[in-house]
Amino acid sequence: GINAEYGDKSTATSLFKLLRKYKPETAAEKKERLRSMAEGEKTESGKKPMYVKYGLNHVTSLIEKKKAQLVVIAHDVDPIELVVWLPALCRKMNVPYCIVKGKARLGQLVHKKNAAAVCITGVKPEDKNALNNLVSTVKTNYNDRFDEIRKTWAEATEFL
């Protein structure tokens, strides 16, 4: 599930289904897109592509700017200190977050070996509902249970 302790399998399934829709393009796909744009001699309008954003610093700054709509943190980041403060920041900025099993699973989404955290900054209109449902679920399970989760994580990090 999202995390055996915190979430349920159907939430995790719909979360990853949504995240997979917004996989960033691979280097090859980008090259291809740029080549076809060059051949067509037209540039795409200045709309930013909607992709899953990743990289701890990038995700952090998106949270600080309140641009992140949903943050997903891996539970097995090593050292855990890299992400252990993220839930507090999300809560402070009122950004929904959740913790999932597996940095490798998050890494797959963004064509990397591992990803400590990823976030969604926007979705297409047809995915708004799915995102809103996820947001309300994770807010209940994470943001509103912050102290409980922090304690669990603190206990977990004592042994690392």
Side-chain angles (χ1 to χ4, degrees), residues 95-106:
V95 171
Y97 73 93
C98 61
I99 300 163
V100 297
K101 275 201 173 107
K103 57 189 179 191
R105 271 170 85 196
L106 290 183

Side-chain angles (χ1 to χ4, degrees), residues 104-130:
R105 271 170 85 196
L106 290 183
Q108 275 177 342
L109 289 168
V110 295
H111 316 292
K112 299 271 178 254
K113 205 163 82 183
N114 292 315
V118 301
C119 74
I120 291 183
T121 50
V123 292
K124 297 180 182 117
E126 64 267 25
D127 294 322
K128 277 266 193 292
N129 256 344

Side-chain angles (χ1 to χ4, degrees), residues 44-51 53 58 62 65 67 121-122:
E44 285 183 30
S45 61
K47 274 172 60 179
K48 272 193 170 170
M50 283 196 241
Y51 292 135
K53 309 285 193 254
H58 189 36
L62 290 167
K65 294 175 186 157
K67 287 200 173 137
T121 50

Side-chain angles (χ1 to χ4, degrees), residues 1-2 15 26 35 54 66-67 82 86 95 112 114 116 129 144 146 148 150 154 157:
I2 275 209
L15 172 67
T26 61
R35 185 177 30 250
Y54 62 98
K66 292 193 177 189
K67 287 200 173 137
L82 287 172
L86 260 181
V95 171
K112 299 271 178 254
N114 292 315
N129 256 344
D144 300 345
F146 175 75
E148 201 178 314
R150 186 173 57 185
T157 55

Side-chain angles (χ1 to χ4, degrees), residues 16-68:
F16 278 94
K17 201 168 131 189
L18 182 67
L19 291 173
R20 273 193 291 273
K21 278 187 171 182
Y22 292 94
K23 260 185 158 174
E25 56 188 0
T26 61
E29 288 165 348
K30 182 173 184 177
K31 208 168 147 182
E32 184 51 45
R33 177 173 58 88
L34 294 175
R35 185 177 30 250
S36 68
M37 271 168 53
E39 284 165 6
E41 289 188 13
K42 67 178 198 314
T43 53
E44 285 183 30
S45 61
K47 274 172 60 179
K48 272 193 170 170
M50 283 196 241
Y51 292 135
V52 170
K53 309 285 193 254
Y54 62 98
L56 209 43
N57 291 341
H58 189 36
V59 169
T60 304
S61 69
L62 290 167
I63 296 168
E64 287 169 339
K65 294 175 186 157
K66 292 193 177 189
K67 287 200 173 137

